[in-house]
């Protein structure tokens, strides 16, 4: 399993669901993550983004985002997986991360990373957690 997982392309980002965003400054997003001083959660199927899931809990973690870096593909994250998530990825029950971020409502510029979801059907075209060099 790769240590660094593709989180988001840089520049204009088009989702399969028709939504679009812009990540003009990947280094700014990385600096904001580093300045926060906390690891961000990776959940299953974006449960942290759903009020009903948080209220009815628990919302189990699949891992924690420990570090971010930029490369030619955009932003990659180093995730510390839970044992359960690691096994599920190994069995190909989950393969892809989907970022959860805050964005400016008018410009659609991504301003902060909130975490990520380990998902079965990603909105963005990314290289998956359980594969190398393939698009999920």
């Amino acid at each position: 399993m790769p240590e660094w997982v593709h989180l988001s392309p840089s520049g204009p980002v088009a989702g399969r669901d028709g939504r679009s965003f812009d990540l003009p400054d990947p280094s700014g997003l990385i600096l904001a993550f580093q300045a926060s001083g906390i690891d961000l959660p990776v959940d299953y199927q974006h449960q942290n983004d759903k009020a009903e899931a948080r209220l009815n809990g628990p919302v189990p973690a699949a891992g924690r985002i420990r570090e971010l870096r930029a490369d030619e593909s955009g932003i990659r994250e180093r995730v510390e997986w839970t044992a359960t998530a690691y096994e599920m990825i190994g069995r190909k029950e989950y393969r892809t991360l989907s970022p959860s971020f805050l964005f400016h409502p008018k410009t659609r510029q991504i301003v902060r990373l909130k975490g990520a979801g380990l998902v079965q059907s990603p909105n963005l075209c990314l290289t998956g957690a359980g594969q190398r060099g393939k698009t999920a």
Side-chain angles (χ1 to χ4, degrees):
M1 191 169 324
E3 181 174 326
W4 289 89
V5 182
H6 194 199
L7 182 67
S8 177
S10 56
V13 179
R16 290 181 173 103
D17 66 0
R19 291 181 296 160
S20 61
F21 308 96
D22 189 22
L23 181 56
D25 183 19
S27 60
L29 194 72
I30 293 169
L31 288 173
F33 167 77
Q34 292 168 337
S36 74
I38 60 168
D39 299 335
L40 296 175
V42 176
D43 63 18
Y44 296 94
Q45 298 295 133
H46 287 297
Q47 289 178 324
N48 275 323
D49 292 331
K50 299 173 184 169
E52 66 277 6
R54 285 193 318 273
L55 290 173
N56 296 318
V59 177
R64 305 290 297 171
I65 299 170
R66 309 282 291 170
E67 192 175 352
L68 297 177
R69 75 173 185 207
D71 66 16
E72 67 282 348
S73 67
I75 292 186
R76 293 193 172 268
E77 65 182 351
R78 186 173 63 82
V79 177
E80 182 179 292
W81 299 108
T82 64
T84 300
Y86 189 84
E87 290 172 10
M88 293 173 87
I89 292 167
R91 290 190 306 260
K92 299 185 181 189
E93 294 171 356
Y94 284 97
R95 339 182 302 164
T96 309
L97 281 177
S98 176
S100 177
F101 41 65
L102 297 175
F103 57 91
H104 189 279
K106 290 183 182 176
T107 66
R108 310 286 293 178
Q109 282 191 352
I110 298 168
V111 295
R112 186 168 60 91
L113 179 65
K114 293 176 16 183
L118 189 56
V119 299
Q120 296 166 349
S121 299
N123 187 35
L124 304 181
C125 294
L126 305 169
T127 303
Q131 54 191 345
R132 294 178 189 260
K134 297 179 184 172
T135 302

